[in-house]
């Protein structure tokens, strides 16, 4: 005896469509269809009437489709001549999935999230049973989603990791190490099915394992988003997430296309969120229209729960009046050490470079642009329409060294020493230097004031007590007054950033 909850799965079917203006509801139509098809020895699966389309749909085996259309054309010849029946034709390559579910709406919502929209739906009243017809190119995916919803099987989430540098490779290792535990605890089966860099993309439908590097080296597909979209369709992959671990200005141009093709987005790449406000809003519209999510907690503060906190405060109606802090782990290390030690400024920069805290060209950190981008991202979380050019940025590199080569810059680092030694000595007693981002002004208006600059603060203050390469963020609100919400901790590093990205992946997966 079959289990009542068993999913019925029939492939190689066709829908015969029977359309016309005035025959719906006419007595005897169904009987004539059945009789004609029975005489032709054609087995009929489902009959469904669509009042909106003025039509009837009949399900038959694919091998009978042509014959079914021909015999119905003969049976309704008079009605075709009079115009009552406008056309009779078949839609091939479809599959039927029958199942019992107490909450159809949840099942259909999950199907819609994965861009599956049944061609035909036939519900058996009083039995909680429904038959749906989908194209054969989506039938396996549909079956997987329904099974996951009805039998509470682990939900398979397919990940495409773009960028396998420090953060990307660390993330892949974290996913592989944690996947069994996550499957057991959260009923989520994470599979890394694509790994790409700027040149090549590697695919593995079953999910990469510990040998993923070898497969990436052997990859033959060029790194193209259309290749990824085609792969996901051909293999009927559900619950798709693209993870952007690059710093690429080019890859962010694909976000719209990915959202339109069923992918949610997780990104440690800051670039999209600092593009002109028109682009920023256009993506939010695309995401909303396609019921997609885009999470980027690591854009500011690496693994710290900063963006999420600001979003929650803002959505709850809390009036945020100021956000101030040390946004750069690199510059945190530089000024925390320079303030406390007697070493020259150039010595601290060289040390940070050797430890891998700075970019290969330290001017990228010292320019303040990275801090400015992070500050702009937070401003936009408050619905401010500031642009990058609105930010006042104090560049820490002397003008004479801005346009020289990296090699020459590094050889002339000691030219910074005199100026920064003076700044350090001219502070009030008990003060230290910090390079801060500051969002202030009337944040209820369209734009806030954004400053990125070197300041002197009391060593006993929250900013002044910062250690190592930690970041700190002070969030001032109307309710908290002069006492800010302080979020502090490791604000940089591949392990921390990858763990933050992983957290975003899990949050998207749990809401799928």
């Amino acid at each position: 005896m079959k289990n009542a909850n068993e999913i019925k799965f029939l492939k190689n079917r066709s829908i015969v469509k029977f359309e016309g203006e005035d025959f719906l509801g006419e007595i005897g139509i169904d009987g004539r269809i059945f009789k004609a098809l029975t005489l032709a020895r054609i087995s009929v699966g489902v009959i469904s009437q669509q009042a909106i389309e003025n039509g009837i749909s009949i399900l038959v085996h694919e091998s009978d489709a042509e014959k079914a259309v021909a015999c119905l054309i003969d049976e309704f010849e008079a009605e075709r001549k009079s115009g009552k029946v406008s056309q009779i034709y078949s839609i091939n390559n479809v599959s039927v999935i029958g199942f019992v579910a107490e909450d159809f709406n949840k099942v259909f919502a999950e199907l819609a999230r994965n861009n599956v929209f049944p061609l035909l739906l036939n519900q058996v009243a009083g039995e909680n049973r429904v038959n749906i017809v989908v194209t054969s190119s989506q039938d396996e995916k549909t079956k997987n989603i329904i099974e996951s919803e009805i039998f509470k099987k682990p939900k398979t989430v397919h990940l495409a990791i773009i960028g396998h540098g420090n953060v990307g490779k660390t993330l892949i290792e974290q996913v592989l190490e944690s996947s069994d535990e996550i499957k057991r605890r959260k009923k989520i089966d994470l599979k890394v099915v694509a790994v790409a860099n700027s040149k090549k993309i590697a695919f593995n439908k079953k999910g990469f394992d510990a040998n993923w590097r070898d497969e990436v080296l052997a990859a033959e597909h060029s790194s193209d988003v259309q290749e990824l979209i085609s792969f996901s369709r051909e293999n009927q992959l559900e619950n798709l997430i693209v993870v952007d671990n690059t710093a690429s200005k080019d890859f962010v141009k694909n976000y719209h296309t990915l959202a339109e093709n069923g992918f949610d987005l997780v990104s440690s790449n800051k670039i999209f969120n600092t593009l002109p406000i028109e682009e920023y809003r256009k993506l939010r519209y695309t995401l909303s229209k396609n019921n997609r999510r885009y999470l980027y907690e690591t854009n500011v503060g690496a693994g710290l729960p900063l963006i999420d906190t600001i979003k929650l405060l803002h959505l709850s109606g809390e009036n945020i009046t100021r956000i101030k802090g040390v946004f750069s782990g690199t510059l945190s290390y530089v000024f925390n050490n320079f303030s406390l030690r007697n070493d020259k400024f150039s010595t601290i920069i060289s040390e940070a470079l050797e430890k891998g805290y700075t970019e290969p060209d330290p001017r990228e950190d010292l320019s303040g642009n990275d801090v400015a981008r992070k500050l702009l991202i937070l401003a936009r979380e408050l619905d401010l329409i500031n642009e990058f050019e609105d930010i006042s940025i104090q560049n820490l590199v002397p003008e004479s060294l801005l346009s020289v080569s990296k090699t020459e810059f590094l050889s002339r680092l000691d030219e910074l020493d005199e100026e920064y030694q003076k700044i350090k000595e001219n502070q009030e007693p008990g003060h230290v230097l910090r390079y801060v981002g500051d969002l202030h002004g009337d944040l209820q208006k369209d734009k806030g004031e954004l400053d990125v600059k070197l300041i002197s603060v009391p060593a006993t203050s929250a900013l002044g007590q910062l250690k190592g390469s930690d970041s700190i963020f002070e969030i001032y609100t109307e309710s908290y007054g002069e006492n800010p919400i302080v979020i502090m901790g490791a604000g940089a590093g591949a392990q921390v950033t990858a763990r933050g990205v992983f957290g975003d992946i899990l949050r998207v997966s749990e809401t799928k």
Side-chain angles (χ1 to χ4, degrees):
M1 186 176 170
K2 280 193 173 182
N3 184 340
N5 285 330
E6 188 178 324
I7 291 178
K8 181 178 75 176
F9 188 32
L10 304 172
K11 294 174 83 77
N12 304 316
R13 296 300 189 268
S14 290
I15 298 172
V16 175
K17 298 277 281 184
F18 190 103
E19 294 176 357
E21 288 297 320
D22 305 315
F23 69 92
L24 267 190
E26 230 178 70
I27 295 169
I29 292 288
D30 289 1
R32 286 174 65 191
I33 291 171
F34 265 121
K35 186 179 177 184
L37 294 175
T38 302
L39 288 171
R41 296 184 176 277
I42 296 169
S43 175
V44 178
V46 177
I47 286 195
S48 176
Q49 285 202 357
Q50 295 95 38
I52 297 169
E53 297 175 16
N54 292 318
I56 293 174
S57 295
I58 304 125
L59 200 74
V60 298
H61 197 279
E62 206 167 72
S63 59
D64 291 329
E66 198 176 326
K67 190 175 169 187
V69 169
C71 84
L72 289 175
I73 284 173
D74 287 346
E75 173 65 28
F76 290 94
E77 188 180 356
E79 285 82 358
R80 288 177 67 244
K81 282 181 178 171
S82 70
K84 265 191 174 184
V85 173
S86 56
Q87 54 182 340
I88 301 170
Y89 63 96
S90 68
I91 300 171
N92 300 325
N93 298 316
V94 303
S95 299
V96 184
I97 302 171
F99 58 96
V100 173
E102 289 182 15
D103 189 351
F104 290 132
N105 291 335
K106 193 162 185 297
V107 175
F108 292 138
E110 282 301 305
L111 292 174
R113 266 194 59 75
N114 283 280
N115 291 343
V116 176
F117 302 98
L119 301 169
L120 200 61
L121 189 150
N122 176 267
Q123 196 164 348
V124 181
E127 291 184 26
N128 283 346
R129 174 166 283 280
V130 70
N131 295 307
I132 63 172
V133 180
V134 296
T135 63
S136 56
S137 63
Q138 291 190 313
D139 57 6
E140 295 287 347
K141 175 165 83 166
T142 305
K143 181 172 172 279
N144 291 342
I145 293 165
I146 292 169
E147 281 182 344
S148 180
E149 284 302 309
I150 293 174
F151 302 131
K152 304 303 176 195
K153 286 171 64 175
K155 179 194 297 184
T156 303
V157 175
H158 296 96
L159 305 176
I161 310 286
I162 313 300
H164 49 88
N166 282 343
V167 174
K169 70 183 178 189
T170 304
L171 175 66
I172 294 168
E173 296 298 339
Q174 287 178 356
V175 171
L176 294 176
E177 285 166 18
S178 310
S179 58
D180 287 343
E181 178 69 7
I182 288 165
K183 192 171 178 180
R184 187 181 64 78
R185 282 194 302 114
K186 294 185 174 289
K187 296 281 188 236
I188 293 170
D189 186 8
L190 291 175
K191 288 184 179 178
V192 178
V193 294
V195 178
N197 59 19
S198 59
K199 295 185 177 68
K200 295 196 297 184
I201 185 164
F203 297 115
N204 186 323
K205 182 188 173 182
K206 292 180 179 177
F208 289 102
D209 57 20
N211 300 315
W212 66 271
R213 287 181 180 81
D214 297 334
E215 292 188 58
V216 169
L217 279 172
E220 293 179 356
H221 295 277
S222 61
S223 194
D224 183 342
V225 160
Q226 289 306 323
E227 291 266 10
L228 175 59
I229 292 167
S230 297
F231 170 79
S232 68
R233 283 187 183 153
E234 285 161 16
N235 291 286
Q236 300 198 39
L237 304 182
E238 73 274 26
N239 301 322
L240 299 158
I241 303 176
V242 159
V243 185
D244 179 6
N245 290 314
T246 73
S248 167
K249 291 176 182 173
D250 294 323
F251 188 76
V252 298
K253 294 171 187 171
N254 298 307
Y255 283 11
H256 288 281
T257 303
L258 288 163
E260 286 167 345
N261 283 278
F263 288 84
D264 287 296
L265 306 167
V266 168
S267 179
S268 61
N269 184 344
K270 292 184 277 290
I271 289 170
F272 197 97
N273 285 328
T274 59
L275 291 178
I277 197 75
E278 189 181 334
E279 276 295 307
Y280 179 91
R281 287 179 167 172
K282 187 178 163 191
L283 178 63
R284 268 68 187 172
Y285 174 75
T286 302
L287 292 163
S288 174
K289 188 176 73 173
N290 292 280
N291 196 19
R292 298 291 113 207
R293 294 191 73 195
Y294 171 33
L295 295 188
Y296 43 88
E297 183 64 68
T298 53
N299 272 198
V300 189
L304 297 175
L306 175 69
I307 290 176
D308 215 32
T309 302
I310 289 168
K311 275 182 177 172
L312 287 170
L313 286 167
H314 186 56
L315 285 171
S316 69
E318 181 63 71
N319 182 11
I320 294 175
T321 56
R322 187 178 197 177
I323 301 173
K324 180 181 174 184
V326 173
F327 288 56
S328 163
T330 303
L331 296 180
S332 176
Y333 178 87
V334 167
F335 287 105
N336 292 347
N337 282 277
F338 182 59
S339 293
L340 296 178
R341 287 160 47 183
N342 291 323
D343 293 301
K344 293 176 180 177
F345 191 66
S346 58
T347 304
I348 307 287
I349 298 289
S350 298
E351 188 180 287
L353 179 61
E354 281 168 30
K355 287 178 180 282
Y357 287 152
T358 74
E359 294 294 330
D361 186 339
R363 285 176 296 184
E364 291 181 39
D365 300 291
L366 296 167
S367 71
N369 287 342
D370 181 61
V371 175
R373 278 193 287 270
K374 292 172 179 176
L375 193 62
L376 180 60
I377 289 166
L378 297 188
R380 288 180 171 179
E381 289 301 319
L382 302 183
D383 296 320
L384 300 171
I385 59 169
N386 287 91
E387 300 285 10
F388 190 82
E389 47 271 23
D390 296 331
I391 308 170
S392 169
I393 306 169
Q394 181 182 348
N395 192 326
L396 300 177
V397 182
E399 204 165 320
S400 59
L401 295 176
L402 283 175
S403 53
V404 301
S405 69
K406 180 181 86 171
T407 308
E408 187 179 342
F409 171 71
L410 292 174
S411 70
R412 292 170 60 186
L413 264 180
D414 58 1
E415 291 180 27
L416 280 71
D417 291 339
E418 187 180 345
E419 182 186 350
Y420 285 98
Q421 191 61 36
K422 272 185 190 170
I423 293 170
K424 180 177 172 180
E425 289 170 358
N426 287 337
Q427 295 179 97
E428 290 180 40
H431 277 57
V432 290
L433 295 172
R434 297 292 181 260
Y435 192 73
V436 302
D438 191 359
L439 169 61
H440 56 106
D442 186 348
L443 305 188
Q444 299 304 298
K445 291 186 175 174
D446 284 347
K447 287 190 173 186
E449 293 176 39
L450 288 78
D451 298 312
V452 173
K453 59 188 178 184
L454 186 64
I455 64 170
S456 176
V457 298
T460 53
S461 66
L463 285 171
Q465 292 180 59
L466 206 56
K467 301 280 191 295
S469 60
D470 283 0
S471 294
I472 185 170
F473 305 94
E474 298 179 335
I475 306 166
Y476 293 83
T477 71
E478 212 167 59
S479 300
Y480 285 78
E482 290 300 305
N483 299 309
I485 299 165
V486 177
I487 296 174
M488 180 168 64
Q495 285 284 343
V496 171
T497 303
R499 189 60 66 187
V501 172
F502 200 169
D504 278 349
I505 290 169
L506 289 175
R507 284 198 295 161
V508 173
S509 301
E510 286 176 329
T511 57
K512 276 187 167 297

